[in-house]
Amino acid sequence: MVIAINLILLIGLIISGLPVPFCFMTAAIYMAVVYNLSFSFLLPSGYYALNSLTLLSVPFFIMAGALMSSSGIAERLTTFAQAFLGRLRGGMGAATIVACAIFGAISGTCSSAVACIGGIMIPRLEELGYPRYYSVAMVGCASVLGQLIPPSVPMILYAWVTQQSVAACFLATVIPGILTTILMCIVNWFEVRKMKTVKTEPQIPFDEKIKVIGKATKHGMWSLLMPIIILGGIYGGITTPTESAAIAVAYAIVVGFLIHKELTPRILGQALVSSSSITGVAVLMLFFVSILAKVYTMQRIPQQLADFILSVSDNKYVLLLMVNIFLIIIGMMMDDFSGTMLSAPLLLPLMIKIGVHPVHFAAIMGTNLGLGNVTPPCAPILYLAGRIGGASVDQYFKPALKFMLFAQVPVILLTTYIPGLSMWLPKLVMGIK
Amino acid sequence: MLWIMNTKLWKFLEYVQKGIMILSSMTILTLVLVQVALRYIFVMPLMGVEEIATMVGFWLYFMGASWGTAERIHIKADLMQVIIKDPKKLIWFKVFISALSVILSGMMVYWGWGYFKWGITRWQLSSTLMIPMVYSQSSVFVGAILMFFYFIIELVDHFLQATGKKPLDFIEEEKTCKEGEEASCIP
Amino acid sequence: GPKWTFKMGHANPPDTPYDKLAHWFADTVYERTNGQVKINIFPSNQLGDWTETFELIQRGVVEMGFQIANAQYDPKLNFAYYMPYVVSNLEEAKEAYAPGGWAYDIIKDLWSEHGIKALAVYPIGMAGVSLKEVPPSPGDPTVEKGMKVRVMPLKACSLTYEALGYIATPIPYAECYSAIQTGIVDGQMGGPPFQAWQFRDVNKVWIQYNDYFEQHWIVMNQDIWNSLPADIQKVIQDTAAEASATRWKQVETEDEHYRNVLKNEFGWTIVMLTQDELNACADRVRKIVWPQMKEMLGEELYTKVRLATFEKK
Ligand code: NA
Ligand code: NA
């Protein structure tokens, strides 16, 4: 009952247009009042949650995103992408989705993918005739791919909580991630077909095309090095994601000042101010989400929900479907970190009982919580995309729903009911039985 | 444009907040880069650099969050304009929401004060460098005060609009989207 | 329903020996108080990491815990968490940390200075380091190993592993795995072989340095403890002592068990240092690191520790 009222309160406040961090705050206050908890620990809980070096990668990647725009890197990168894909229908949309998947692999978190790719691509796509709200929906949903394509911070947390191999958990979500990417590109193709505004460039002869690509490559060489530096740093074992994010910022500053000569101290200052504000509003949300998650944990709210699930059925497929719904609700209520921390220890014993491998469950959690992050009412990642792209929920909700229904939901179902989809790679590479 | 935005107080706050945001951004950037360099060039990472970076990060977060309140870029769902079609009712609803924001950020100020006092009396030290953690904890309190202040301004602004004064939303008047500022500049 | 309901957290995953014993503790207290006291167990740091739960217990928001001391509130508590080579093997650890042992008494008093009632020690195991390959002369601390080891973000940890000849790199636990996987560090310290077992896919070597004896404490908020009637207090105290005794027996076999699993199932190399090598490590670390901890611990405690350890011999 308390859970239901709390949920209704949360949803109602979010719909009312109260800044989302304060909706979470109110929900936490409600819980604290009902359960007679002292308020003294609420802010410290938020403080401890933010006191993390990993979280520093968020401002860095948002900075990198802002600077990639103002130092001319983004422009050259998109010119490059356009040279390849501009002539295909919906090509730039597909390029954006793929970019989100790749960027997610760079950052390990979805919010930085939203900030960076969204900041660059949404204005670009608008120039090509894609409506802003559509691009926001696309970037928001695609950024969830960052959780599925390694490295992924929620997967590391899952592995620690459930005593599984991180390497295996990373591999478990790779195929679902790629599958989601492909389905999203297909959805985009169908959507763009209906948009009369979207421009495609006229066909040109092959040798001409080679010239265009060559020119774009030469022109964008310094820009193209940036993702290589970030990825190389992480996969080459040189830097942590936070450090490579910092290197990306430094690189963007150097290229902007010395090579492209488009950056001035004034623009740099503006970029830092704007990236700090965006980081601040995003982190404030995380602050209150962590507080609410802590109150939920203390009152064993997820435990009660799980007990409810078990009381309804003991059929494996019915249970799996209910677990899907449960995870999506958790994902709706909180961020992927807290959602993982809460659900994994809670549901794993149940999963093992009904014969689901823990590594398989990693993929189930990853895909479900990912959807939860973009499912209103509490869709932090989608709202962040809206914030960055400058579109309102009522506009971008519909196209976002299409991406969810036709790209994310099918992958969730496939991942849940076909263990081989997620287990094949870990079995192949790690020899997991 | 509200009268207060032309006052010295507002300009001063803007100057200080933007200063802290730029300074903290550059500081965490430098610290993290120096640590990478030390690890590879001198094969001797410095103890506690990450600790300072994280502490400075708090000032970035809460200065950013409160300046985000001034610029009204908080993450929120804009569904009410679909539900309430009458602009007059809508603006009065916005007054209500702003009032709620003022109350909630006011509570945050109150708790922030409690946390600040706890920090001063218990004097928690960071694990490696043993820096008083109240230096970063106080950012929560300062951020809350600033948010409270900016939410009051927003409330006054919405109230003036609701009582028939002409729209005073400063964002549309003040800012025009410049190139390279897409992320921050939202029409 | 129960008259008292308490929250109690611990750091380890569900269904580990630690978690099972925690549940045994909760169930037994419930039975022996005829259902008056119900303790809910929160595994895997669900309530927060040790720094946060320490504060939550101080505030009384969380009532109980299997808790590590948080030296952030009092540098003296470093002694209760990470002070290297207070003991150099399990026998010495038992002498020092078992009820009535010299370190046991010191730590119990330290807890009470912070409004926390320490009920019993909850031993975890003898620590060491896991690595990608065997370093040159692992038993000789004066030899530079040229390997980067993740250490807990504590000053004493960095100093200790530098004194043992490694390049100490402080990294939070959450980032430790990917740091090893990607090669930013070559290994990790911070716990017994059980912790190394978490890194079974990315490391290949275990070196039993015995640099510290990891112990958590069964604790309760002092005010809440004081508010309980004497008979309830007695049940909780006695059950905690029993849990502690059970855990002491487990520790003896558990470190051995996980070393064997790593060796036989995952092909690890296990390096057990001789007592002479351990003494060499201990002497060097005590000589280099301890003086730097003097200021943290304060003159009085520092002298006590010195008297109780090598000046005793
Ligand atoms: Na990722
Ligand atoms: Na959601």
Side-chain angles (χ1 to χ4, degrees):
Chain A
M1 192 58 201
V2 174
I3 309 171
I5 295 174
N6 189 63
L7 204 58
I8 291 165
L9 178 73
L10 193 57
I11 294 167
L13 283 173
I14 287 172
I15 291 172
S16 81
L18 184 71
V20 175
F22 292 97
C23 302
F24 286 120
M25 181 187 178
T26 314
I29 292 172
Y30 171 78
M31 296 293 288
V33 169
V34 168
Y35 290 106
N36 195 22
L37 296 168
S38 128
F39 291 123
S40 67
F41 75 95
L42 296 180
L43 294 195
S45 275
Y47 175 85
Y48 279 107
L50 302 191
N51 193 17
S52 133
L53 185 64
T54 314
L55 194 65
L56 272 191
S57 66
V58 173
F60 285 142
F61 276 115
I62 291 178
M63 266 184 232
L67 285 168
M68 280 172 88
S69 311
S70 44
S71 61
I73 290 176
E75 192 202 321
R76 286 164 177 83
L77 272 182
T78 45
T79 313
F80 178 77
Q82 221 168 343
F84 281 94
L85 297 158
R87 262 152 242 97
L88 302 171
R89 181 161 284 279
M92 279 301 268
T96 307
I97 293 166
V98 173
C100 282
I102 295 170
F103 198 87
I106 297 173
S107 65
T109 63
C110 351
S111 47
S112 35
V114 173
C116 192
I117 300 300
I120 300 162
M121 291 304 270
I122 293 172
R124 276 290 136 170
L125 289 164
E126 194 179 29
E127 282 169 25
L128 290 172
Y130 289 72
R132 238 168 204 272
Y133 64 87
Y134 174 76
S135 310
V136 163
M138 186 167 66
V139 170
C141 293
S143 68
V144 169
L145 297 167
Q147 286 189 11
L148 303 180
I149 297 171
S152 148
V153 179
M155 279 300 126
I156 296 172
L157 294 179
Y158 174 87
W160 161 233
V161 170
T162 59
Q163 286 191 279
Q164 296 306 306
S165 147
V166 176
C169 294
F170 274 179
L171 290 171
T173 50
V174 170
I175 291 176
I178 292 171
L179 214 57
T180 313
T181 311
I182 294 168
L183 284 176
M184 279 186 176
C185 290
I186 293 173
V187 172
N188 172 62
W189 187 78
F190 274 106
E191 285 296 299
V192 169
R193 228 170 45 153
K194 288 184 289 184
M195 294 176 193
K196 298 210 170 56
T197 48
V198 175
K199 284 170 270 191
T200 34
E201 286 162 19
Q203 287 294 340
I204 49 170
F206 184 73
D207 54 335
E208 193 91 347
K209 192 176 170 180
I210 292 293
K211 244 187 235 166
V212 170
I213 289 175
K215 203 179 156 196
T217 310
K218 199 183 154 202
H219 190 56
M221 188 181 67
W222 293 100
S223 315
L224 285 167
L225 267 175
M226 181 148 169
I228 294 168
I229 287 172
I230 300 174
L231 281 171
I234 297 175
Y235 290 115
I238 301 164
T239 51
T240 64
T242 306
E243 289 166 350
S244 50
I247 289 170
V249 173
Y251 180 78
I253 292 176
V254 169
V255 169
F257 271 115
L258 300 181
I259 294 163
H260 295 161
K261 300 193 170 71
E262 289 176 25
L263 205 57
T264 64
R266 196 185 150 73
I267 295 175
L268 176 63
Q270 283 169 343
L272 293 181
V273 166
S274 85
S275 62
S276 301
S277 308
I278 293 173
T279 305
V281 298
V283 167
L284 188 71
M285 185 166 69
L286 189 61
F287 183 76
F288 284 116
V289 166
S290 313
I291 290 172
L292 179 62
K294 184 58 59 71
V295 181
Y296 279 160
T297 308
M298 284 183 173
Q299 296 312 319
R300 321 204 118 205
I301 299 296
Q303 181 92 58
Q304 290 175 31
L305 278 172
D307 288 347
F308 175 74
I309 291 178
L310 263 176
S311 74
V312 176
S313 169
D314 54 3
N315 176 292
K316 181 176 174 178
Y317 295 97
V318 176
L319 275 174
L320 278 174
L321 185 68
M322 295 182 73
V323 163
N324 275 331
I325 295 166
F326 172 82
L327 286 174
I328 291 170
I329 292 172
I330 289 283
M332 285 163 80
M333 292 194 289
M334 55 193 67
D335 63 310
D336 46 355
F337 289 20
S338 316
T340 309
M341 295 306 284
L342 283 177
S343 326
L346 199 68
L347 293 179
L348 192 66
L350 171 72
M351 290 293 100
I352 291 171
K353 228 179 253 175
I354 62 171
V356 174
H357 194 285
V359 172
H360 177 203
F361 189 51
I364 297 178
M365 291 231 359
T367 47
N368 275 285
L369 291 177
L371 177 62
N373 269 338
V374 289
T375 317
C378 314
I381 296 302
L382 196 61
Y383 296 154
L384 186 61
R387 178 82 275 136
I388 284 159
S392 59
V393 178
D394 55 309
Q395 295 173 306
Y396 60 70
F397 179 63
K398 232 192 210 165
L401 200 63
K402 281 185 190 160
F403 280 107
M404 289 177 220
L405 280 180
F406 298 117
Q408 292 182 280
V409 171
V411 175
I412 286 177
L413 293 176
L414 288 175
T415 307
T416 308
Y417 296 105
I418 308 175
L421 199 69
S422 42
M423 293 301 288
W424 181 70
L425 263 184
K427 275 180 183 164
L428 185 77
V429 180
M430 314 270 309
I432 279 178
K433 284 160 212 116
Chain B
M1 179 106 181
L2 282 174
W3 60 268
I4 192 162
M5 288 159 200
N6 272 328
T7 58
K8 283 201 176 118
L9 174 69
W10 185 277
K11 300 266 186 241
F12 172 76
L13 283 176
E14 181 173 357
Y15 184 76
V16 170
Q17 286 203 257
K18 286 187 172 174
I20 294 176
M21 283 189 267
I22 293 172
L23 204 65
S24 54
S25 301
M26 293 309 289
T27 308
I28 57 171
L29 181 63
T30 312
L31 286 172
V32 173
L33 291 175
V34 163
Q35 187 70 321
V36 178
L38 284 176
R39 197 169 61 228
Y40 285 100
I41 300 169
F42 304 102
V43 204
M44 199 82 256
L46 217 58
M47 243 190 280
V49 168
E50 291 84 359
E51 220 170 70
I52 304 176
T54 315
M55 291 179 95
V56 175
F58 270 94
W59 283 96
L60 188 154
Y61 300 151
F62 282 93
M63 279 302 115
S66 53
W67 190 246
T69 313
E71 295 202 323
R72 299 182 197 174
I73 59 164
H74 267 294
I75 297 163
K76 57 186 167 200
D78 304 313
L79 288 171
M80 282 329 274
Q81 60 212 50
V82 183
I83 299 166
I84 305 177
K85 297 284 182 203
D86 181 356
K88 189 141 180 78
K89 278 186 192 152
L90 184 66
I91 189 66
W92 274 109
F93 189 79
K94 278 188 177 171
V95 171
F96 167 70
I97 292 300
S98 305
L100 204 56
S101 307
V102 170
I103 294 168
L104 288 167
S105 55
M107 290 176 83
M108 196 182 163
V109 172
Y110 178 70
W111 291 335
W113 169 240
Y115 194 27
F116 182 66
K117 272 197 301 191
W118 167 279
I120 292 280
T121 48
R122 302 291 176 124
W123 210 248
Q124 191 175 0
L125 302 174
S126 68
S127 297
T128 310
L129 297 177
M130 300 173 74
I131 303 168
M133 287 172 77
V134 73
Y135 293 165
S136 62
Q137 286 163 347
S138 53
S139 67
V140 181
F141 179 48
V142 176
I145 294 175
L146 289 165
M147 275 189 269
F148 180 61
F149 173 72
Y150 294 127
F151 275 129
I152 289 178
I153 305 287
E154 189 190 80
L155 174 64
V156 171
D157 182 25
H158 284 159
F159 184 77
L160 288 178
Q161 288 181 43
T163 51
K165 308 278 192 298
K166 69 179 170 99
L168 293 167
D169 205 339
F170 72 103
I171 294 172
E172 279 156 41
E173 278 188 29
E174 270 277 274
K175 299 194 73 170
T176 48
C177 280
K178 285 181 215 109
E179 206 186 334
E181 269 195 296
E182 289 90 350
S184 73
C185 186
I186 289 140
Chain C
K3 214 164 156 187
W4 295 275
T5 306
F6 299 142
K7 295 179 279 295
M8 189 172 193
H10 69 80
N12 287 293
D15 292 326
T16 51
Y18 319 96
D19 183 60
K20 283 180 185 153
L21 194 54
H23 278 282
W24 175 86
F25 174 75
D27 294 344
T28 309
V29 168
Y30 185 77
E31 256 169 50
R32 290 179 182 170
T33 57
N34 301 315
Q36 290 186 80
V37 177
K38 179 159 176 28
I39 299 170
N40 289 321
I41 299 292
F42 294 84
S44 310
N45 281 334
Q46 279 179 6
L47 296 173
D49 73 356
W50 86 92
T51 55
E52 184 175 0
T53 48
F54 184 92
E55 187 175 324
L56 288 170
I57 294 169
Q58 274 188 310
R59 289 176 185 270
V61 176
V62 168
E63 295 85 0
M64 302 186 76
F66 295 85
Q67 183 62 37
I68 301 169
N70 176 5
Q72 293 178 333
Y73 282 108
D74 178 1
K76 282 210 289 284
L77 283 170
N78 273 302
F79 176 68
Y81 182 20
Y82 189 86
M83 178 156 181
Y85 291 110
V86 170
V87 296
S88 70
N89 57 44
L90 191 60
E91 280 63 47
E92 288 176 25
K94 270 196 235 166
E95 260 176 52
Y97 294 104
W102 65 271
Y104 182 90
D105 288 338
I106 292 175
I107 295 171
K108 216 168 148 69
D109 292 344
L110 283 174
W111 281 106
S112 77
E113 281 177 32
H114 293 274
I116 294 173
K117 168 82 183 168
L119 297 166
V121 73
Y122 195 69
I124 302 295
M126 285 307 299
V129 66
S130 71
L131 293 166
K132 280 187 173 159
E133 54 192 72
V134 181
S137 321
D140 184 351
T142 56
V143 173
E144 291 296 330
K145 314 288 188 297
M147 291 178 100
K148 290 192 276 273
V149 171
R150 170 269 169 179
V151 298
M152 298 187 278
L154 298 171
K155 193 177 171 189
C157 279
S158 293
L159 294 173
T160 302
Y161 273 80
E162 278 164 20
L164 291 173
Y166 293 91
I167 301 155
T169 310
I171 292 176
Y173 190 82
E175 280 179 45
C176 184
Y177 195 97
S178 51
I180 296 176
Q181 196 177 31
T182 55
I184 288 164
V185 291
D186 302 301
Q188 58 88 31
M189 60 74 65
F194 167 73
Q195 182 164 316
W197 180 74
Q198 317 273 342
F199 296 88
R200 56 197 178 276
D201 297 327
V202 285
N203 272 165
K204 272 280 167 234
V205 178
W206 170 257
I207 306 174
Q208 189 74 49
Y209 271 115
N210 290 1
D211 54 315
Y212 79 113
F213 179 68
E214 187 170 350
Q215 16 92 39
H216 300 180
W217 284 70
I218 304 179
V219 300
M220 189 174 208
N221 174 285
Q222 185 74 55
D223 293 336
I224 294 170
W225 170 261
N226 292 342
S227 73
L228 295 173
D231 58 325
I232 300 284
Q233 282 184 345
K234 188 173 173 346
V235 169
I236 294 176
Q237 177 65 69
D238 291 349
T239 315
E242 272 178 60
S244 171
T246 309
R247 194 58 219 150
W248 274 110
K249 280 182 220 131
Q250 287 176 353
V251 165
E252 297 193 19
T253 50
E254 197 171 76
D255 287 357
E256 181 70 27
H257 167 75
Y258 280 104
R259 279 193 299 263
N260 283 336
V261 168
L262 287 172
K263 189 176 162 196
N264 301 330
E265 289 177 32
F266 297 93
W268 278 40
T269 308
I270 305 293
V271 180
M272 299 301 285
L273 304 184
T274 65
Q275 190 58 45
D276 283 347
E277 286 172 321
L278 284 174
N279 289 342
C281 293
D283 287 346
R284 182 175 161 88
V285 168
R286 284 168 179 167
K287 210 173 109 199
I288 295 174
V289 182
W290 280 22
Q292 300 189 63
M293 293 188 74
K294 192 173 176 178
E295 203 186 328
M296 289 184 203
L297 302 188
E299 190 71 47
E300 195 195 330
L301 177 56
Y302 186 72
T303 314
K304 245 194 227 176
V305 174
R306 282 188 73 96
L307 283 176
T309 52
F310 58 99
E311 281 172 19
K312 181 180 71 177
K313 289 166 199 159

